[in-house]
């Protein structure tokens, strides 16, 4: 069995992969399309990350590969239908990054409501004139209404933090009703949720089915004091419509960890003081990234030894 790891992962994970005899692309650079297509022809199992796009055409012919073990929960960068049609199993790493991503979503919400990013930039620029009673007045968090788009593991984890920690009322939009251990109201459309929530947090998976799920109509329905948080996938939100709403003051602020064409972030978005922008840090703790890497390798190990892979998508 030949195994390939497409990106540099935490040291302990790379050491384990070496012990399994894997070939490593020990770099932060992304392989090009031709190189990724070649991996499918030359290797039995490939461990990939969200930057590694596997389109339908790459699975044409008779690829040698039989397993793509994704380092991450979201797999919209992999055409899973085409992979399965070619006899290739796709796995992911659910669960291990739930708390870390929910924590970061809470941080973005707090920063956006309290204008923390703007204040930090003022201090770093040596532009702070000193405390005044009306300086940089933000919005309170406690008692606000939080609307969750996508009430999966991460959405529920954020909702619990918001409800139990800040007394927030919880609304949610999801394809099906959820049996939750906290009070929450399910709404029928994202527009209804946007109109009622003070903060909207996006936790929906990426992919063609959810592209611009939170689009121009939903953004237009938000309150002028509304805040949008996105830690899921950039293309779930209509980024252009969001920029217009932020620039015009139609909504109050946004906290973003993901972007439609990342790592490219539009200059207009970067110029906005009411946008808190992070470089896709949702799962970025050492403990979580090690757990993700080991879960991906657990899938590979099961495949190599002929057992059922634990995390097929």
């Amino acid at each position: 069995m030949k195994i390939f790891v497409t990106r540099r992962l935490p040291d302990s994970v790379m050491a384990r992969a070496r012990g399994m005899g894997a070939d490593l692309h020990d770099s932060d650079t992304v392989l090009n399309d031709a190189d990724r297509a070649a991996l499918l022809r030359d290797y039995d199992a490939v461990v990939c990350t969200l930057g590694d796009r596997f389109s339908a055409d790459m699975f044409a012919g008779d690829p040698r590969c039989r397993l793509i073990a994704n380092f991450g929960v979201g797999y919209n960068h992999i055409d899973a239908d085409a992979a399965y049609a070619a006899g290739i199993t796709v796995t992911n790493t659910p669960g291990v990054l739930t708390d870390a991503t929910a924590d970061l979503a809470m941080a973005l919400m707090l920063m956006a409501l309290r204008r923390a990013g703007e204040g930090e930039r003022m201090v770093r620029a040596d532009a702070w004139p000193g405390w005044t009673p009306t300086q940089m007045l933000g919005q309170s968090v406690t008692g606000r209404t939080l609307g969750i788009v996508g009430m999966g593991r991460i959405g529920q984890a954020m909702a619990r933090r918001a409800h139990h920690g800040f007394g927030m009322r919880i609304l949610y939009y999801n394809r099906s009703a959820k049996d939750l251990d906290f009070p929450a109201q399910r709404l029928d459309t994202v527009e209804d949720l946007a109109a009622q929530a003070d903060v909207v947090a996006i936790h929906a998976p990426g992919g063609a089915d959810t592209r611009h799920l939170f689009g121009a109509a939903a953004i237009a329905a938000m309150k002028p004091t509304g805040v949008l948080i996105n830690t899921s996938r950039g293309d779930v939100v209509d980024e252009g419509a969001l920029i217009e709403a932020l620039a015009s003051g139609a909504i109050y602020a946004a906290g973003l960890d993901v972007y439609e064409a990342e790592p490219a972030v539009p200059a207009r978005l970067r110029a906005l003081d009411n946008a808190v922008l992070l470089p896709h840090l949702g799962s970025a703790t050492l403990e979580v990234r090690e757990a993700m890497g080991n879960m991906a390798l657990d899938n590979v190990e099961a495949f190599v030894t002929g057992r059922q892979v634990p995390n097929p998508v």
Side-chain angles (χ1 to χ4, degrees), residues 59-252:
F59 300 106
D62 185 21
R64 171 176 175 169
C65 183
R66 286 294 173 262
L67 177 74
I68 296 179
N70 186 52
F71 176 87
V73 176
Y75 56 91
N76 57 304
H77 52 290
I78 304 167
D79 191 319
D81 290 337
Y84 277 99
I88 301 172
T89 298
V90 180
T91 64
N92 66 346
T93 61
V96 292
L97 48 70
T98 297
D99 286 330
T101 306
D103 288 348
L104 194 79
M106 292 296 292
L108 284 169
M109 179 177 72
L110 290 165
M111 290 179 72
L113 283 168
R114 295 299 304 273
R115 300 174 64 179
E118 187 180 349
E120 202 235 10
R121 288 190 294 274
M122 176 190 289
V123 173
R124 286 186 180 275
D126 196 23
W128 181 39
W131 182 88
T132 68
T134 58
Q135 184 182 71
M136 293 190 64
L137 300 181
Q139 298 187 49
S140 298
V141 181
T142 301
R144 299 278 177 180
T145 296
L146 172 63
I148 302 283
V149 178
M151 192 61 96
R153 290 186 181 94
I154 299 170
Q156 291 180 41
M158 183 184 187
R160 288 189 194 95
R161 285 158 169 76
H163 174 69
H164 296 303
F166 293 92
M168 298 183 81
R169 173 185 173 225
I170 307 299
L171 308 175
Y172 74 98
Y173 170 82
N174 201 71
R175 286 179 296 184
S176 58
K178 292 287 188 175
D179 183 14
L180 303 170
D181 56 7
F182 51 86
Q185 179 184 358
R186 180 175 175 240
L187 299 182
D188 292 330
T189 69
V190 290
E191 290 78 15
D192 288 342
L193 181 140
Q196 296 185 45
D198 298 305
V199 178
V200 176
I202 309 295
H203 296 294
D209 290 344
T210 59
R211 186 176 187 276
H212 289 185
L213 171 65
F214 203 83
I219 292 168
M222 292 178 67
K223 301 176 181 180
T225 54
V227 171
L228 180 65
I229 305 300
N230 189 9
T231 58
S232 60
R233 286 292 184 264
D235 62 1
V236 178
V237 174
D238 185 333
E239 193 169 79
L242 175 61
I243 291 170
E244 293 299 330
L246 290 168
S248 67
I251 66 173
Y252 184 75

Side-chain angles (χ1 to χ4, degrees), residues 35-77:
D35 288 337
R36 286 194 295 276
L39 294 179
L40 300 181
R41 295 193 302 268
D42 298 338
Y43 286 85
D44 300 286
V46 175
V47 178
C48 73
T49 69
L50 64 87
D52 299 309
R53 179 174 171 269
F54 287 92
S55 56
D57 59 291
M58 293 183 181
F59 300 106
D62 185 21
R64 171 176 175 169
C65 183
R66 286 294 173 262
L67 177 74
I68 296 179
N70 186 52
F71 176 87
V73 176
Y75 56 91
N76 57 304
H77 52 290

Side-chain angles (χ1 to χ4, degrees), residues 278-310:
L278 297 180
H280 207 133
L281 297 178
S283 63
T285 73
L286 177 60
E287 297 89 348
V288 169
R289 293 284 170 85
E290 286 180 332
M292 290 167 63
N294 281 312
M295 185 175 285
L297 293 181
D298 288 345
N299 284 303
V300 173
E301 195 170 71
F303 165 74
V304 168
T305 56
R307 294 178 285 115
Q308 174 65 43
V309 294

